[in-house]
């Protein structure tokens, strides 16, 4: 069994990360009733005997004290301190934390260049230590936001470090993109500067938009309080349910962060539990990334909740597949149905058979457009353990040109500021930051948009079959 | 003689486990054999082939289990041990912690060479436990990374280490839609390499078996286990003891060798496909009665009309001299309604096998012009009922029937290759575009050869 390490950077990264740990504990507690430290737990947790304060617990033995395989980085103390005082304090120890007091001032350059330089050694040290506790480290999950200074700047700096120090280990990045009316005025700068790093150094990026999370939360709340008969939602089944393994109080943003945490839980489920069709983490990039730079995978999660009265489960199962392709369930504002698929992964959990998968793929295929050379671009995984409160669930990851509008909008917002050179001096004052960083970042984004555009233009065209090799008879 | 089975990857290990279970179950019932002595002889022959009797008295499969991640292997070994009737050797597995990630190149270029020694040690130990070694039987899928990449590499190693042993590769072809996106690349690389090192490649298509499960077995929610069981049943019906000629009183000595000598007479043609009849759910089986003429008539039409199961056979197709017309390249299916065979092996099991008339399979029209029908057609028989079936017939063919799916795999992979999509994932491990081209050339050659049969 392989292990993964979560690197959570900045306020958003740490808040999402904590929801992940909380829900992961809930999930394992639900499956693992005997309190045995098993292979599944070992993928994200260490078992430490606190009395001797040393040594990795033996698999198959009793759980004594679980420690998250995580590195927490923030350049303010607020969020991390809150964690240390909160119910999750037990799963982290102080050696896993890197904090500063003054913050990055919403400035990518401060996070990337200043704090990057200052904390480089310490970060590498912490990463190494976390890696040493793994016997087969497969994947780093970086969680950060794109709009602020620490998450985007230092987060992408950490990404570069990971590539240098652990070139063999996969880097899957969960990036939260700011809303259009974000209150951070420099967020377009930060996002575009970070984009270039993501495009060049990540194996996969799962883009998530704040606004989409807000919309989904509102929708679930509406359903929950609509009072319609028959629309009673099972409490622990909504993906915004905050009842975690250890915490019970809900904080603002928890509902939104829970969605992202659930995304990560589903993404890693096949690596943690068994199933009839395993989908390992290293298969994600292999199947979904046809060209190295085009590694942005649009996620969607279904079902968002389960109705309390159980009827016609098979129809609901099919509905789950249908929903995964609807605009409402995407975690960014995008419409994959009207864009071009390069590849698509379906990661199913729960009591679902391969025939259910096949039936739904056949059913949905006519309404989806796939690039000519990948007409059967489906990657599927079946994990037998469903999420807590659900009988089944689906995470779809789409490498789809529908990401383009998001990128174009990001670029437009960037250009609006950049044309006026607004706030530019804040960045250029930082050591090591030059105007070239901006021009290179924007041209990287432009060419990324261009690559998606080119592929999107082939949509609907019946591509001629490539002439086959001729064999002389 | 004994066969050493090598199970590779998730697919190979799961099918392997079902195969040993089917073989064990079949050998333990002597239905159809009259004397106690005959029953014992059958069981003993099957045992010698596939199991090693440990001191504890529990038969241990002559198998080596290989995977790059531990989950499937531990599951497989546990399931076998739980049966109480047989098990895998405690030490006869090799696994690592991290899978090959669906990347053939990772299995072939990285994992293969790195673990060659450990794997070959296990195989050698298993081979040394055989009094007489018939050869190796490897099982793997062509879609994934470990089975296909590592399997290909290990097959090459076996060929080098045991140059005089028979090597039969059972490969499972993926669903034509959606298991692994790069499955066509992986398939092309696997098949082209196996074509150099293996003696024969026995193919199961998931699509076909899936249809058998839904239409013949009447299974509503088909799981991989159902699919694997059908494959195991088909394989068992070939590999279990049988008499290779009408006057024999001795079971075939070397099942692999006899299979090859019946079917693979030319190195350019080594793709084998399997058909069996009848195949049905347990509940229908109870109420069904079969007669040899009906079974064989169906089976013959399945062969010439290239149907993989007894439902939906095109009865219009007649055996005729094939005319390979020109300009049909790229889509041979359109023109080839009649499925020409190079060689066929018919295996009959059950009641009254000696009364069955197999003349329909011996017609020269069924075969290529350059191999006489007496050579091209062979029959094995065994009076023992096979796995609850009172009568059953299995046909292993070296024919054009895999042409269409092979052509489709190569075509899809070639289309993808034209845009160079995913190629960077392979070059990372040292497989160059040239290597891809070589593989395409090899398979186009195979397609061409079969087309012009």
């Amino acid at each position: 069994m392989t292990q993964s390490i979560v690197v959570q950077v900045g306020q958003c990264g740490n808040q999402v990360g904590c929801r992940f740990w909380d829900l992961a504990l809930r999930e394992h507690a639900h499956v693992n009733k005997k309190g045995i430290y098993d292979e599944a737990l070992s993928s994200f947790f260490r078992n430490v005997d606190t009395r001797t304060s040393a040594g990795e617990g033996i698999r198959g033995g009793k759980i004594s004290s679980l420690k998250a395989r995580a590195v927490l980085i923030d350049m303010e103390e607020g969020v991390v301190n809150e964690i240390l005082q909160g119910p999750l304090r037990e799963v982290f120890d102080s050696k896993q934390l890197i904090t500063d007091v003054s913050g990055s001032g919403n400035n990518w350059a401060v996070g990337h260049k200043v704090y990057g330089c200052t904390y480089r050694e310490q970060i590498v040290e912490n990463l190494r230590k976390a890696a040493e506790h793994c016997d087969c480290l497969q994947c780093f999950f970086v969680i950060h936001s794109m709009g602020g200074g620490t998450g985007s700047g230092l987060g992408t700096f950490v990404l570069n470090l990971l590539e240098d120090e652990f070139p063999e280990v996969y880097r899957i990045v969960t990036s939260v993109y700011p809303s259009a009316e974000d209150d951070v005025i420099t967020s377009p700068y930060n996002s575009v500067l970070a984009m270039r790093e993501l495009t060049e150094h990540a194996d996969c990026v799962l883009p998530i938009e704040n606004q989409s999370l807000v919309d989904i939360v509102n929708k679930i709340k509406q359903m929950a309080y609509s009072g319609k008969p028959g629309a009673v939602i099972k409490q622990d089944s909504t993906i915004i349910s905050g009842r975690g393994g250890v915490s019970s109080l809900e904080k603002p943003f928890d509902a939104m962060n829970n969605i992202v945490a659930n995304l990560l839980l589903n993404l890693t489920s096949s690596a943690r539990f068994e199933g009839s069709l395993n989908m390992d983490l290293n298969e994600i990039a292999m199947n979904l990334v046809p060209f190295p730079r085009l590694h942005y995978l649009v996620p969607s999660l279904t079902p968002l909740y389960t109705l309390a009265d159980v009827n016609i489960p098979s129809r609901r199962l099919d509905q789950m597949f249908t929903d995964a392709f609807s605009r409402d369930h995407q975690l960014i504002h995008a419409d994959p149905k009207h864009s071009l698929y390069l590849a698509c992964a379906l990661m199913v959990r729960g009591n679902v058979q391969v025939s259910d998968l096949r039936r739904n793929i056949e059913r949905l295929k006519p309404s989806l457009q796939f690039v000519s050379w990948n007409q059967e671009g489906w990657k599927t995984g079946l994990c037998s353990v469903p999420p807590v409160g659900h009988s089944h669930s689906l995470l779809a990851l789409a490498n789809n040109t529908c990401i383009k509008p998001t990128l174009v909008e990001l670029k437009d917002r960037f250009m609006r500021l950049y044309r006026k050179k607004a706030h530019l001096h804040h960045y250029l004052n930082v050591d090591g930051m030059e105007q070239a960083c901006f021009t290179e970042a924007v041209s990287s984004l432009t060419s990324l948009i261009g690559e998606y555009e080119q592929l999107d233009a082939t949509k609907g065209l019946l591509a001629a079959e490539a002439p086959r090799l001729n064999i002389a008879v | 003689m004994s066969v050493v089975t090598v199970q590779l990857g998730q697919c190979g290990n799961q099918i392997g486990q079902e195969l040993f279970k089917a073989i064990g179950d079949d050998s333990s019932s002597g239905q159809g054999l009259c004397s106690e002595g005959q029953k014992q002889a059958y069981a003993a022959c099957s045992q010698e082939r596939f199991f090693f009797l440990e001191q504890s008295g529990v038969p241990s499969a002559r198998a080596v289990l290989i995977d790059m991640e531990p989950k499937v292997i531990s599951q497989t070994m546990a399931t076998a041990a739980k049966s109480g009737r047989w098990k895998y050797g405690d030490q006869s597995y090799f696994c690592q912690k991290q899978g090959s990630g669906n990347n053939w190149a990772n299995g072939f270029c990285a994992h293969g060479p790195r673990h060659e020694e450990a794997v070959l040690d296990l195989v050698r130990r298993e081979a040394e436990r055989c009094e007489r070694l018939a050869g190796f039987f490897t099982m793997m899928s062509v879609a994934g990374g470990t089975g296909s990449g590592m399997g290909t590499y290990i097959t090459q190693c076996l060929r080098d280490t045991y140059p005089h042993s028979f090597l039969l590769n059972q490969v499972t072809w993926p669903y034509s839609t959606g298991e692994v996106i790069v499955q066509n690349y992986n398939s092309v690389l696997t098949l082209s390499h196996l074509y150099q090192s293996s003696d024969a490649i026995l193919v199961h298509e998931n699509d076909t078996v899936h249809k058998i499960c839904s239409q013949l077995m009447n299974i509503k929610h088909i799981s991989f286990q159902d699919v694997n069981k059908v494959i195991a049943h088909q394989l068992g019906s070939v590999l279990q003891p049988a008499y290779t000629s009408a006057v024999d009183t001795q079971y075939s000595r070397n099942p692999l060798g006899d299979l090859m000598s019946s079917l693979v007479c030319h190195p350019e043609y080594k793709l084998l496909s399997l058909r069996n009849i009848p195949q049905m759910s347990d509940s229908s089986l109870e109420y069904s009665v079969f007669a040899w003429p009906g079974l064989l008539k169906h089976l013959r039409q399945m062969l010439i009309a290239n149907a993989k199961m007894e439902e939906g056979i095109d009865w219009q197709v007649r055996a005729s001299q094939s005319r390979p017309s020109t300009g049909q390249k790229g889509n041979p299916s359109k023109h080839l309604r009649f499925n020409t065979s190079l060689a066929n092996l018919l295996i009959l099991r059950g009641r009254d096998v000696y009364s069955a008339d197999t003349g329909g399979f011996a017609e020269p029209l069924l075969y290529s012009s350059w191999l006489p029908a007496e050579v091209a057609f062979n029959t094995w028989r065994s009076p023992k009922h096979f796995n609850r079936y009172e009568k059953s017939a299995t046909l292993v063919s070296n024919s054009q029937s895999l042409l269409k799916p092979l052509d489709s795999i190569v075509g899809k992979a070639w289309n993808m290759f034209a845009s160079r999509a995913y190629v960077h994932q392979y070059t990372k491990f040292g497989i160059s575009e040239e290597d891809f081209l070589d593989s395409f050339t090899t398979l186009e050659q195979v397609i061409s050869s079969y087309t012009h049969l």
Side-chain angles (χ1 to χ4, degrees):
Chain A
M1 186 76 84
T2 58
Q3 294 85 39
S4 298
I5 295 173
V6 175
V7 187
Q8 36 198 73
V9 192
Q11 175 174 350
C12 171
N14 277 296
Q15 282 171 342
V16 170
C18 284
R19 297 314 305 146
F20 169 75
W21 295 111
D22 199 2
L23 295 181
L25 283 173
R26 171 175 79 160
E27 186 166 290
H28 282 288
H30 193 79
V31 178
N32 183 343
K33 304 260 192 236
K34 289 189 188 138
I36 299 295
Y37 180 68
D38 57 6
E39 291 279 349
L41 263 173
S42 80
S43 57
F44 279 95
F45 293 93
R46 294 191 293 134
N47 189 22
V48 178
D49 194 334
T50 40
R51 285 162 304 181
T52 59
S53 79
E56 190 91 341
I58 304 152
R59 309 257 155 86
K62 270 266 179 233
I63 292 174
S64 55
S65 170
L66 292 178
K67 295 285 177 206
R69 298 188 192 275
V71 177
L72 287 63
I73 305 172
D74 202 356
M75 292 296 110
E76 298 169 338
E77 292 183 305
V79 177
V80 173
N81 278 347
E82 219 172 283
I83 294 168
L84 290 184
Q85 282 148 23
L88 274 173
R89 62 182 173 273
E90 299 282 315
V91 294
F92 305 111
D93 62 44
S94 54
K95 292 175 212 148
Q96 288 170 272
L97 317 172
I98 298 169
T99 52
D100 198 302
V101 284
S102 39
S104 304
N106 291 324
N107 187 331
W108 183 88
V110 173
H112 198 86
K113 304 280 180 189
V114 177
Y115 286 126
C117 272
T118 318
Y119 285 98
R120 186 195 163 96
E121 299 304 317
Q122 202 182 335
I123 294 172
V124 170
E125 171 79 12
N126 275 22
L127 290 170
R128 282 226 185 95
K129 224 175 256 155
E132 279 166 16
H133 289 303
C134 304
D135 52 12
C136 183
L137 174 59
Q138 182 170 44
C139 201
F140 284 108
F141 288 92
V142 180
I143 312 173
H144 72 143
S145 74
M146 298 292 279
T150 306
S152 78
L154 193 54
T156 52
F157 180 82
V158 171
L159 185 64
N160 292 354
L161 275 187
L162 292 176
E163 191 183 31
D164 290 346
E165 301 286 329
F166 306 90
E168 305 275 298
V169 183
Y170 286 85
R171 297 174 298 280
I172 299 181
V173 186
T174 307
S175 306
V176 180
Y177 286 69
S179 319
E181 53 272 7
D182 193 76
D183 50 2
V184 176
I185 196 134
T186 50
S187 76
Y189 281 161
N190 298 334
S191 304
V192 171
L193 288 163
M195 271 302 285
R196 179 189 173 200
E197 306 293 324
L198 292 184
T199 302
E200 285 174 11
H201 303 292
D203 285 308
C204 291
V205 177
L206 308 174
I208 291 159
E209 270 173 347
N210 242 330
Q211 192 54 44
S212 301
L213 298 180
V214 173
D215 294 348
I216 289 176
V217 169
N218 287 339
K219 215 172 86 186
I220 296 176
K221 285 196 174 141
Q222 220 172 31
M223 263 317 277
Y225 302 120
S226 68
K228 267 188 237 151
V232 184
I233 291 176
K234 265 167 70 187
Q235 262 309 311
D236 57 352
S237 78
T238 82
I239 66 166
I240 61 169
S241 162
R243 285 202 286 179
V246 288
S247 72
S248 50
L249 279 176
E250 278 206 39
K251 293 195 289 294
F253 298 120
D254 267 6
M256 286 160 66
N257 293 335
N258 279 339
I259 301 175
V260 187
N262 270 292
L263 161 72
L264 289 172
L265 281 180
N266 284 350
L267 186 69
T268 56
S269 63
S270 204
R272 289 179 293 140
F273 304 112
E274 55 196 31
S276 59
L277 192 61
N278 283 332
M279 181 160 169
D280 220 0
L281 291 169
N282 57 2
E283 292 169 17
I284 294 173
M286 179 67 197
N287 285 283
L288 294 179
V289 183
F291 305 108
R293 285 162 54 88
L294 306 185
H295 55 234
Y296 292 86
L297 311 176
V298 177
S300 68
L301 270 177
T302 57
L304 297 174
Y305 50 81
T306 306
L307 295 179
D309 73 341
V310 181
N311 50 16
I312 343 171
S314 144
R315 205 194 70 80
R316 284 220 318 260
L317 185 67
D318 286 9
Q319 188 62 41
M320 169 177 92
F321 282 94
T322 308
D323 285 346
F325 296 89
S326 85
R327 195 196 267 269
D328 295 344
H329 288 73
Q330 308 303 318
L331 300 192
I332 67 166
H333 270 266
D335 188 4
K337 265 193 165 166
H338 293 97
S339 307
L340 186 74
Y341 276 92
L342 305 185
C344 182
L346 299 177
M347 308 179 74
V348 190
R349 302 183 62 180
N351 182 24
V352 179
Q353 296 301 332
V354 63
S355 49
D356 299 319
L357 258 177
R358 310 218 57 74
R359 182 182 69 243
N360 280 292
I361 289 179
E362 290 307 321
R363 188 171 62 83
L364 292 163
K365 230 170 99 177
S367 62
L368 308 171
Q369 306 185 62
F370 274 77
V371 67
S372 65
W373 40 262
N374 211 8
Q375 287 290 314
E376 277 125 21
W378 299 89
K379 167 70 187 167
T380 50
L382 292 173
C383 168
S384 51
V385 179
V388 178
H390 291 263
S391 58
H392 39 65
S393 79
L394 169 64
L395 165 65
L397 297 177
N399 194 342
N400 189 299
T401 55
C402 69
I403 181 101
K404 201 192 82 184
T406 305
L407 303 180
V408 170
E409 199 195 309
L410 203 59
K411 187 185 161 193
D412 289 347
R413 276 171 25 215
F414 174 93
M415 290 312 290
R416 252 173 266 149
L417 285 181
Y418 189 63
R419 268 191 218 105
K420 294 187 204 134
K421 310 274 182 233
H423 306 286
L424 210 54
H425 60 283
H426 293 303
Y427 289 78
L428 298 179
N429 282 345
V430 172
D431 251 358
M433 195 68 191
E434 290 156 26
Q435 189 122 15
C437 296
F438 282 83
T439 50
E440 282 164 19
V442 79
S443 80
S444 161
L445 181 59
T446 307
S447 81
L448 186 69
I449 293 170
E451 285 166 55
Y452 278 113
E453 197 158 55
Q454 252 179 20
L455 285 163
D456 197 55
T458 68
K459 195 170 57 190
L461 293 180
L462 212 61
E465 301 253 310
R468 296 265 289 266
L469 290 171
N470 263 318
I471 298 294
V473 182
Chain B
M1 294 179 96
S2 309
V3 177
V4 172
T5 300
V6 184
Q7 313 178 168
L8 291 129
Q10 173 161 18
C11 172
N13 278 298
Q14 285 173 343
I15 294 178
Q17 186 248 323
E18 291 293 344
L19 173 64
F20 283 107
K21 181 170 174 290
I23 286 176
D25 288 352
D26 175 59
S27 304
S28 64
S29 98
Q31 236 186 342
L33 298 173
C34 26
S35 79
E36 217 27 62
Q38 280 179 323
K39 285 177 190 173
Q40 271 170 19
Y42 185 89
C45 178
S46 167
Q47 166 117 352
E48 190 201 358
R49 279 185 189 175
F50 299 106
F51 295 97
F52 170 79
L53 212 51
E54 288 198 354
Q55 280 175 338
S56 62
V58 181
S60 153
R62 298 184 188 277
V64 175
L65 296 79
I66 299 162
D67 203 354
M68 287 301 107
E69 54 126 34
K71 267 187 283 191
V72 176
I73 288 202
S74 56
Q75 225 173 4
T76 306
M77 307 239 326
T79 313
K82 220 168 24 188
S83 77
R85 304 164 69 142
W86 67 282
K87 64 188 197 67
Y88 285 107
D90 303 331
Q91 304 296 318
S92 52
Y93 70 93
F94 177 83
C95 65
Q96 293 285 298
K97 300 220 160 84
Q98 174 161 302
S100 306
N102 293 160
N103 192 334
W104 187 89
N106 190 2
F108 187 80
C109 304
H111 287 147
R114 197 179 304 151
H115 306 305
E116 175 181 349
E117 204 174 326
V119 170
L120 285 181
D121 269 352
L122 288 178
V123 173
R124 187 176 313 117
R125 230 192 35 211
E126 221 41 72
E128 282 167 0
R129 286 216 292 213
C130 304
E131 233 165 272
R132 289 165 303 170
L133 178 67
F136 298 93
F137 180 52
T138 66
M139 310 172 89
M140 61 205 227
S141 83
V142 294
T146 302
S148 72
M150 179 102 175
T152 305
Y153 187 84
I154 294 301
T155 304
Q156 291 184 356
C157 295
L158 290 176
R159 175 48 77 226
D160 293 343
T161 321
Y162 303 90
H164 304 299
S165 292
F166 291 106
L167 270 183
L168 176 63
N169 287 72
Q170 186 274 339
V171 297
T172 306
W173 285 7
Y175 287 104
S176 63
T177 56
E179 257 168 84
V180 172
I181 288 174
V182 288
Q183 63 188 26
N184 295 313
Y185 277 169
N186 290 341
S187 305
V188 164
L189 291 164
T190 306
L191 292 172
S192 62
H193 283 75
L194 282 186
Y195 229 81
Q196 327 284 340
S197 46
S198 177
D199 287 319
I201 303 165
L202 182 56
V203 177
H204 278 100
E205 299 163 77
N206 266 349
D207 281 316
T208 309
V209 184
H210 194 92
K211 259 188 221 150
I212 292 177
C213 285
S214 76
Q215 295 181 19
L216 299 183
M217 313 283 287
N218 256 324
I219 304 171
K220 289 238 162 53
H221 295 279
I222 299 164
S223 65
F224 274 104
Q225 197 186 13
D226 299 320
V227 171
N228 294 341
K229 271 190 177 144
V230 170
I231 296 178
H233 175 80
Q234 293 191 338
L235 288 174
S237 71
V238 176
L239 296 170
Q240 279 290 62
Y243 300 117
T244 49
S245 79
V247 291
D248 257 355
T249 51
Q250 281 280 314
Y251 287 117
S252 145
R253 293 277 293 279
N254 184 336
L256 299 186
D258 291 336
L259 187 84
M260 310 284 183
S261 67
S262 311
L263 289 166
V264 192
C265 55
H266 191 295
E268 188 58 34
Y269 304 89
K270 41 174 93 160
L271 290 177
L272 308 181
S273 60
L274 251 172
R275 289 175 180 77
N276 72 325
I277 188 170
Q279 178 91 51
M280 55 179 61
S281 64
D282 290 358
S283 50
S284 325
L285 187 58
E286 275 181 57
Y287 302 104
S288 306
V289 183
F290 307 104
W292 283 117
L295 289 178
L296 293 181
K297 188 177 168 209
H298 272 81
L299 190 58
R300 178 179 182 274
Q301 194 63 25
M302 280 161 69
L303 170 70
I304 63 174
N306 195 14
K308 301 285 165 54
M309 56 176 176
E310 54 178 305
E311 232 171 81
I313 303 175
D314 184 353
W315 287 93
Q316 305 300 316
V317 179
R318 294 269 174 274
S320 62
Q321 211 62 58
S322 57
R323 292 172 297 276
S325 54
T326 48
Q328 66 180 18
K329 265 225 71 212
N331 194 358
S333 58
K334 253 187 207 160
H335 304 267
L336 281 175
R337 295 226 303 156
F338 164 62
N339 177 38
T340 309
S341 303
L342 180 64
N344 284 305
L345 170 62
L346 180 63
I347 300 151
L348 305 177
R349 294 178 187 275
R351 188 203 279 262
D352 306 328
V353 273
Y354 289 102
S355 72
D357 174 19
T358 59
F361 293 91
E363 275 177 41
L365 269 184
L366 263 54
Y367 299 95
S368 71
S369 54
W370 48 270
L371 200 66
E374 327 57 289
V375 182
F377 176 63
N378 286 281
T379 315
W380 296 355
R381 289 181 163 94
S382 158
K384 198 188 101 53
H385 302 181
F386 179 70
N387 265 352
R388 302 185 319 278
Y389 289 88
E390 189 201 34
K391 298 190 178 86
S392 66
T394 307
L395 186 72
V396 192
S397 326
N398 189 345
S399 74
Q400 290 175 318
S401 74
L402 292 167
L403 199 46
K404 196 176 157 198
L406 178 65
D407 188 68
S408 151
I409 288 176
V410 174
K412 284 175 192 167
W414 183 249
N415 260 340
M416 196 179 259
F417 187 70
S419 66
R420 295 299 184 269
Y422 295 102
V423 171
H424 72 280
Q425 311 266 21
Y426 292 81
T427 46
K428 206 159 65 181
F429 287 98
I431 292 292
S432 64
E433 288 189 14
E434 279 297 303
D435 295 325
F436 270 96
L437 279 174
D438 287 346
S439 289
F440 279 115
T441 315
T442 305
L443 291 188
E444 292 287 7
Q445 180 67 53
V446 172
I447 290 172
S448 162
S449 301
Y450 271 104
T451 306
H452 295 95
L453 198 63

